[in-house]
Amino acid sequence: MTRDEAIARGYIPSPTIHNGHRRALWHDYNAPGLYMLTLVSAQRLPLFGKLIITENPYISLSALGNAILQEEIFKSMAFFPMVDVWRTCIMPDHIHMKIRVKNTFPPKKHLGHFIRGLKIGSGKAYQRLSGLPYTTIFEEGYNDRLLLNEGQLERWHNYLLDNPRRLALKRQHPDLFTVMHNQEVAGIKCMMVGNRFLLDIPDKEAIIVHRSDMSDGTYEKNYQKWLACAERGGVLVSGAIAPGEKAVIREAMNQGYRIILLRQNGFGSHYKPSGERFNACLAGHFLEISPWDWDFGRDKAERERCLFNNSLALRLANE
């Protein structure tokens, strides 16, 4: 739901704070629900553990990481018994928690109070273990994702299990997973993540589907042409907005073909591809490009950005 749609339904959103932590405007955070929460250490300091790179990478927890896992989370659950922490994944500089809120919070309390209590307890644990004065060890706020179905639960469970492996691969291949700024693409300064050398492959096809293409046979003919390009080692370039465009990119991703994806928004400072995009990046088959800065307010210019990205896709394919 966009900001304008939320307002149209009667929700009064808080002023936008561009810090990367998004709340669902329509959701009641006092009520029961399933969440994936992420807490990030202040200044991204590796306070909670160290990555050990072996055949099966894992995180060796620090004394603080162990205290949070074994003590502080349970203290917070005792204080808020309506909250169950199902699974915790502690990384060197951030913590993921898959949680269930079983019952409504007490009056004037909500999920944020549970997080605040955990942060305070963790700060006191740091003070006790380090002998230093009490300090805030987390960034302000937290990131949450609402888990709405069983498929999401399974995907996030697998994501947590795979976190150490992905971190090890990112450290071994930083060129593929680092946000690059001010990269010139068809004469435009862009942000990008992935294998930038896909831009140098001359055989490219722009995947653009108009509504009329779906009814006059154009789409079926183009679909075969586009996938033939990808099969012979070419690159498919698209914003993947229309359903027909998404279907082509989906098949290309399934087949391990080369893809340049044009985004309608930029990348946050700690952005990284996830899931199948991560694996495609690692294989050198994927590049994300955005000619736009990081901006949550993109809904106001969504159509203009789509049209611009389509024109950029054509320029890349025709150069």
Side-chain angles (χ1 to χ4, degrees):
M1 182 189 297
T2 67
R3 184 182 181 87
D4 289 341
E5 290 171 337
I7 293 173
R9 294 191 185 185
Y11 301 104
I12 308 300
S14 302
T16 300
I17 301 174
H18 297 271
N19 64 358
H21 306 307
R22 306 297 288 157
R23 303 281 83 80
L25 299 174
W26 63 93
H27 183 70
D28 180 2
Y29 284 88
N30 304 81
L34 299 174
Y35 304 89
M36 174 66 73
L37 305 180
T38 302
L39 310 181
V40 179
S41 66
Q43 302 176 37
R44 286 273 177 172
L45 294 174
L47 300 176
F48 311 127
K50 178 181 179 182
L51 175 67
I52 306 299
I53 299 179
T54 64
E55 183 178 350
N56 296 301
Y58 66 96
I59 305 300
S60 176
L61 295 182
S62 66
L64 176 60
N66 267 312
I68 293 173
L69 181 64
Q70 303 294 339
E71 301 172 22
E72 300 306 324
I73 289 176
F74 289 98
K75 290 179 184 177
S76 295
M77 284 195 292
F79 198 81
F80 290 96
M82 70 288 302
V83 176
D84 270 346
V85 177
W86 282 358
R87 184 170 184 84
T88 304
C89 175
I90 297 183
M91 301 297 287
D93 62 0
H94 64 277
I95 299 173
H96 294 299
M97 293 185 295
K98 188 166 64 174
I99 76 165
R100 176 191 178 203
V101 177
K102 300 177 291 185
N103 303 303
T104 303
F105 279 88
K108 298 184 179 180
K109 299 291 183 182
H110 53 74
L111 182 61
H113 290 93
F114 170 81
I115 298 300
R116 181 173 180 270
L118 177 58
K119 286 184 173 184
I120 291 174
S122 299
K124 291 180 178 177
Y126 178 77
Q127 178 186 27
R128 181 178 71 251
L129 292 167
S130 67
L132 298 172
Y134 176 84
T135 186
T136 300
I137 63 172
F138 289 100
E139 282 187 356
E140 182 181 355
Y142 62 96
N143 182 273
D144 73 84
R145 291 176 182 263
L146 301 175
L147 304 181
L148 303 177
N149 56 60
E150 291 297 326
Q152 284 182 301
L153 286 174
E154 182 177 358
R155 285 195 298 273
W156 279 105
H157 177 74
N158 293 334
Y159 176 87
L160 293 187
L161 291 177
D162 198 38
N163 241 1
R165 181 189 72 91
R166 290 198 310 275
L167 178 58
L169 291 171
K170 282 186 290 183
R171 291 188 178 178
Q172 291 169 336
H173 305 277
D175 53 318
L176 296 176
F177 298 102
T178 300
V179 177
M180 295 172 279
H181 298 265
N182 296 317
Q183 302 293 304
E184 187 166 313
V185 178
I188 301 168
K189 294 295 185 180
C190 296
M191 306 169 71
M192 63 175 68
V193 175
N195 182 8
R196 67 172 307 279
F197 293 104
L198 294 182
L199 291 167
D200 298 333
I201 295 175
D203 191 7
K204 299 188 188 73
E205 287 281 356
I207 313 303
I208 300 173
V209 179
H210 301 291
R211 189 174 302 174
S212 60
D213 296 343
M214 307 302 291
S215 58
D216 64 5
T218 300
Y219 177 71
E220 288 77 8
K221 181 173 65 176
N222 284 339
Y223 185 94
Q224 298 303 322
K225 179 185 71 169
W226 292 330
L227 290 182
C229 169
E231 187 173 0
R232 65 177 177 258
V235 182
L236 304 185
V237 187
S238 182
I241 299 300
E245 295 165 4
K246 291 179 180 178
V248 176
I249 297 303
R250 161 55 44 217
E251 181 60 19
M253 187 69 76
N254 289 343
Q255 297 297 331
Y257 295 154
R258 292 164 167 167
I259 298 168
I260 295 177
L261 184 67
L262 304 178
R263 291 167 53 104
Q264 295 180 60
N265 205 356
F267 305 98
S269 56
H270 299 293
Y271 173 80
K272 57 184 181 297
S274 60
E276 60 186 358
R277 294 184 181 185
F278 179 94
N279 294 326
C281 268
L282 184 63
H285 297 162
F286 190 70
L287 175 66
E288 289 185 276
I289 297 176
S290 175
W292 315 101
D293 291 330
W294 179 236
D295 173 22
F296 285 120
R298 68 184 177 87
D299 52 304
K300 293 183 179 179
E302 188 168 340
R303 175 172 170 76
E304 290 82 356
R305 295 190 182 203
C306 289
L307 293 174
F308 185 90
N309 282 1
N310 281 348
S311 69
L312 180 57
L314 287 170
R315 289 169 66 180
L316 288 175
N318 294 328
E319 281 190 339

